[in-house]
Amino acid sequence: MARMTSVAHFVAISDLSKPLTSQEGILIEVAAKGGDTPKNRAKALEIARQMWEKGEIAADEFPDGLTQDNIVYVPPDSSHLRETKILPNSRQLPPIVQGAQEIIELVKLQLAVQQIAQEAEPYFPIILSVLERTRPLTTEEQELVQDKRFAKTLEKLATIIAEQENYRENCAGYGKLILNALAWQLNKGVKEPTQTKKKVRQRKPASKRSAPRGSKGT
């Protein structure tokens, strides 16, 4: 089994002058250990600046500059958020950080659903034929369902889907405060659905874009 890479999550808040419930930002994942450390914060800031340079962040998203003040640490999901209706520390965390936690957990659950669904794929024709009563099971299919992995896989799939739906229903809904939260998917070639068309904001050519201000008021 492949070893999991240690990561730390941060949010780059675009405008600190806005009320907490209106603050938006970018979810940043840093491949590093240690959580909230100066080194990891510096990495997160650099990633945000690189995204800005590549045009993944609009030039006006950080009106007061992009500095360490904009970088906020997202505490890890150490208490199985999916088992509780609210975050244990949700009253202390800004809404945008709660939103980041929700997105991270939802992504984990989605990956888990997809992985177990791939394991259950060979059973799809069997389930379809049984539910629709279209035909009897073949000899090969009978052998598959008699294997203990059949029931175990379907039970696991049902459990993780139920966890996903339960968590989604109990989310505070602050995930919408995160801008470019799924930018990593777009970078891997996953495009937005064609039926969802949004007005694209014009950006300045890369050659004319200056770097974000290093400090506020400069």
Side-chain angles (χ1 to χ4, degrees), residues 20-78:
L20 289 177
T21 55
S22 300
Q23 288 180 351
E24 296 183 339
I26 300 159
L27 181 61
I28 300 173
E29 182 176 279
V30 177
K33 296 180 181 180
D36 189 14
T37 66
K39 183 177 181 180
N40 290 346
R41 281 177 170 271
K43 288 182 179 180
L45 179 60
E46 181 59 27
I47 290 173
R49 285 175 172 167
Q50 289 179 3
M51 292 175 68
W52 193 93
E53 290 292 340
K54 293 176 182 178
E56 297 173 9
I57 304 174
D60 57 354
E61 290 296 349
F62 294 88
D64 295 321
L66 179 54
T67 72
Q68 284 287 352
D69 291 338
N70 299 87
I71 305 299
V72 178
Y73 177 62
V74 181
D77 173 20
S78 58

Side-chain angles (χ1 to χ4, degrees), residues 114-159:
Q114 291 183 211
Q115 290 171 355
I116 189 63
Q118 290 174 357
E119 295 180 24
E121 185 176 4
Y123 306 132
F124 181 81
I126 298 174
I127 298 171
L128 185 64
S129 65
V130 170
L131 291 178
E132 298 186 353
R133 299 182 179 180
T134 55
R135 60 174 177 80
L137 299 181
T138 66
T139 302
E140 292 76 15
E141 288 174 337
Q142 292 179 44
E143 293 178 355
L144 279 177
V145 298
Q146 289 173 357
D147 190 301
K148 62 181 181 180
R149 287 178 294 182
F150 172 74
K152 192 173 182 179
T153 300
L154 293 189
E155 289 175 358
K156 186 177 180 181
L157 177 60
T159 299

Side-chain angles (χ1 to χ4, degrees), residues 67-115:
T67 72
Q68 284 287 352
D69 291 338
N70 299 87
I71 305 299
V72 178
Y73 177 62
V74 181
D77 173 20
S78 58
S79 56
H80 294 284
L81 304 183
R82 71 190 74 172
E83 297 177 1
T84 58
K85 291 188 176 181
I86 60 174
L87 303 180
N89 55 352
S90 61
R91 290 175 183 157
Q92 288 77 38
L93 294 176
I96 190 172
V97 178
Q98 294 181 51
Q101 288 185 320
E102 290 176 357
I103 290 174
I104 293 167
E105 183 65 12
L106 286 171
V107 168
K108 289 180 182 178
L109 289 169
Q110 181 62 34
L111 290 176
V113 169
Q114 291 183 211
Q115 290 171 355

